[in-house]
Amino acid sequence: MAAAAARCAGGHGGGCFLLRRRLLAAATFLAAFGLGAAGLGAAGDAAAGRGRYPHHVMLRVEDVLPAPSSSSCDTPREHEHGASSSGTRMTIVHRHGPCSPLADAHGKPPSHDEILAADQNRVESIHHRVSTTATVRGKPKRRPSPSRRQQQPSAPAPAASLSSSTASLPASSGRALGTGNYVVTIGLGTPASRYTVVFDTGSDTTWVQCQPCVVVCYKQQEKLFDPARSSTYANVSCAAPACSDLYTRGCSGGHCLYSVQYGDGSYSIGFFAMDTLTLSSYDAVKGFRFGCGERNEGLFGEAAGLLGLGRGKTSLPVQTYDKYGGVFAHCLPARSSGTGSVSYTHLDVYKRQRQTTPMLTDNGPTFYYVGMTGIRVGGQLLSIPQSVFSTAGTIVDSGTVITRLPPAAYSSLRSAFASAMAARGYKKAPALSLLDTCYDFTGMSEVAIPKVSLLFQGGAYLDVNASGIMYAASLSQVCLGFAANEDDDDVGIVGNTQLKTFGVVYDIGKKTVGFSPGAC
């Protein structure tokens, strides 16, 4: 029957019509017993994904494959930077995709092993940071022992030409993060110059590389920001209250110094300054405080710096609270060759079918904590006690690639997902780095996979888009895009793979995080 189904996948003859009826009858019978359409072939899979089986979704395999180097950028008109009909709206793109302004600069993209290794560095750094700052159920979380994780290298002390003999700046902040993989374009200074920066909801301080470089600056696509060419630039005084907003700060000649360090050993050191930040061609933020980095080193993919959108005092949403009410939203595209958006006003597009969950601001600073309560696979609620999620808590993080779950939760997810895929007859494939549940989809353009839903406090849920359920290295190695944390006490992370196509709305004022399907 499978061979005949494959021959009829695009046919219209009477025999094919009868065969399709037999296929659907067989699939209905199997579904009644909680099974998939195992062995029904391409035609059966296609039928399963067209509304007849609401607990499965159709995955176009090309949506999860890396964009070929020859692919072009699909930029919808409504996502163009600064379109007046869209309010304050910016385009967000994958920094290694063809839409990225850095596409011609970064050369060969990193391998999947490199991407996942960098992602693990970020996750370990988040766990380390949370362990020193977060509280769950009102109790401080324990600090992990050095044996549990590889210690990250410390940023060097500032160069002598950057600081006076009396300057004091800690070498390491202890709040390291790996950098994210989506970028946006901002304007900085008067007149404004455009810069491509990493978009990161897990960081607070925005910074760019500045002239003059002291000792070293990494290579970037655009010219370095030159404070001398901006009529609105000013250093922040050491005595200014804004200087004390920095987690790691110092002083040189009366001017405030900042230092940020990331999980891969990258860092930026320089003067904390103020200037005009332009988010679109007509929307400027005057007196925006940012880091003017004169000593920078790391793997930033030739981006000019980083845009910090966390909850800390130096972040963009907090600094612009009076202007935007502490609200912003992003939508990450399904494919690396597509475009998404970041919005600060006119968020009506995200209201449709929005699911809202409380933002748990008492759990700790910077990160966007939410209360995860469960997981559904193929429409079935998994038997996971809520205490599994509440023990360590959960954050939503745009810079983490793969969602991390408590070990018991991931084990249950993997088991249910693998059972459903086995029932459909899909061939297993070798593991890909930290992804251990993989399949060979060679010769297939569409496959039916079980729906995965993440459940949150307040009744909110996120029905993960098909492109966010799987992570692909190639047609022969397409993997479940979730992974387990090392320890029950490690905070869970909803990563950007699972957030694709959703409008994610962060409202610091109302203390909510919302999910709107199909926003881009």
Side-chain angles (χ1 to χ4, degrees):
M1 186 183 290
R7 289 194 298 271
C8 283
H12 300 282
C16 289
F17 175 78
L18 292 175
L19 176 60
R20 286 196 183 94
R21 292 191 63 180
R22 292 172 59 197
L23 288 169
L24 292 175
T28 302
F29 174 81
L30 291 171
F33 289 92
L35 300 174
L40 295 184
D45 280 347
R50 291 183 181 135
R52 294 179 176 86
Y53 301 101
H55 302 313
H56 285 73
V57 290
M58 286 305 298
L59 171 69
R60 291 194 311 166
V61 181
E62 66 176 356
D63 283 347
V64 292
L65 290 174
S69 57
S70 59
S71 62
S72 59
C73 174
D74 179 18
T75 309
R77 181 172 298 177
E78 62 269 22
H79 287 169
E80 290 178 357
H81 184 84
S84 60
S85 62
S86 301
T88 303
R89 189 166 181 153
M90 308 161 66
T91 296
I92 186 170
V93 298
H94 197 286
R95 68 173 176 174
H96 300 302
C99 298
S100 172
L102 311 177
D104 295 332
H106 57 57
K108 184 179 179 181
S111 69
H112 293 285
D113 283 339
E114 290 170 333
I115 291 172
L116 296 175
D119 195 47
Q120 184 61 23
N121 280 339
R122 179 182 178 90
V123 168
E124 290 178 356
S125 298
I126 288 174
H127 290 162
H128 176 68
R129 180 174 176 179
V130 166
S131 72
T132 62
T133 60
T135 59
V136 179
R137 295 176 177 172
K139 298 180 180 180
K141 281 182 59 63
R142 65 177 176 81
R143 184 167 186 155
S145 64
S147 62
R148 283 197 58 225
R149 59 183 305 277
Q150 182 179 356
Q151 296 299 305
Q152 301 297 337
S154 297
S161 57
L162 178 63
S163 59
S164 69
S165 59
T166 59
S168 176
L169 187 66
S172 174
S173 70
R175 297 165 71 104
L177 290 178
T179 54
N181 55 1
Y182 286 90
V183 295
V184 295
T185 300
I186 61 171
L188 191 62
T190 305
S193 297
R194 289 168 68 86
Y195 298 97
T196 302
V197 293
V198 175
F199 173 92
D200 192 1
T201 61
S203 296
D204 292 326
T205 303
T206 295
W207 61 268
V208 296
Q209 294 199 111
C210 289
Q211 291 184 358
C213 259
V214 178
V215 183
V216 63
C217 277
Y218 64 85
K219 184 180 178 182
Q220 71 177 53
Q221 169 85 337
E222 296 110 350
K223 292 182 179 179
L224 300 184
F225 176 70
D226 187 353
R229 293 182 177 273
S230 175
S231 63
T232 49
Y233 177 90
N235 285 332
V236 172
S237 167
C238 293
C243 187
S244 63
D245 290 341
L246 293 166
Y247 182 77
T248 303
R249 59 187 179 271
C251 193
S252 176
H255 299 299
C256 185
L257 300 178
Y258 80 96
S259 174
V260 291
Q261 182 190 356
Y262 301 92
D264 56 8
S266 304
Y267 62 87
S268 177
I269 298 171
F271 290 99
F272 198 43
M274 295 185 297
D275 210 333
T276 298
L277 172 70
T278 305
L279 298 178
S280 68
S281 58
Y282 57 89
D283 196 355
V285 179
K286 296 182 179 180
F288 180 74
R289 297 181 296 278
F290 70 103
C292 191
E294 295 188 1
R295 186 175 187 184
N296 321 280
E297 192 168 15
L299 305 174
F300 298 105
E302 301 204 3
L306 181 142
L307 186 67
L309 290 112
R311 293 191 296 110
K313 292 181 179 180
T314 62
S315 72
L316 174 60
V318 173
Q319 286 197 51
T320 60
Y321 191 91
D322 290 342
K323 185 178 181 71
Y324 302 126
V327 183
F328 73 97
H330 64 70
C331 188
L332 307 178
R335 304 181 64 187
S336 60
S337 58
T339 60
S341 63
V342 184
S343 302
Y344 300 92
T345 57
H346 299 277
L347 300 179
D348 290 347
V349 67
Y350 298 108
K351 289 184 178 179
R352 180 173 57 89
Q353 299 179 347
R354 184 191 301 178
Q355 303 289 326
T356 302
T357 189
M359 184 188 299
L360 307 180
T361 56
D362 292 337
N363 281 23
T366 301
F367 298 117
Y368 292 97
Y369 288 87
V370 293
M372 194 168 175
T373 59
I375 302 174
R376 285 195 179 99
V377 176
Q380 299 297 313
L381 180 65
L382 302 182
S383 298
I384 306 171
Q386 288 194 20
S387 60
V388 168
F389 300 103
S390 62
T391 295
T394 304
I395 66 172
V396 177
D397 180 46
S398 70
T400 297
V401 179
I402 301 298
T403 287
R404 299 308 203 278
L405 297 170
Y410 176 70
S411 177
S412 184
L413 166 64
R414 176 181 58 191
S415 177
F417 189 86
S419 294
M421 295 295 279
R424 300 192 67 82
Y426 291 125
K427 180 182 177 182
K428 293 294 293 291
L432 173 64
S433 183
L434 55 86
L435 305 179
D436 58 14
T437 306
C438 304
Y439 299 89
D440 185 347
F441 293 151
T442 301
M444 304 178 191
S445 60
E446 282 189 319
V447 293
I449 59 176
K451 181 184 292 187
V452 175
S453 302
L454 307 181
L455 312 182
F456 300 93
Q457 288 181 9
Y461 58 88
L462 193 158
D463 290 337
V464 182
N465 184 269
S467 65
I469 296 174
M470 310 297 284
Y471 181 98
S474 64
L475 275 172
S476 61
Q477 197 174 28
V478 184
C479 307
L480 177 64
F482 296 77
N485 279 329
E486 178 184 336
D487 192 277
D488 292 337
D489 288 334
D490 291 332
V491 69
I493 305 172
V494 180
N496 60 48
T497 295
Q498 284 64 46
L499 297 175
K500 289 178 180 179
T501 75
F502 276 82
V504 185
V505 182
Y506 306 83
D507 191 328
I508 294 175
K510 293 182 179 179
K511 297 183 179 181
T512 60
V513 177
F515 306 104
S516 297
C520 63

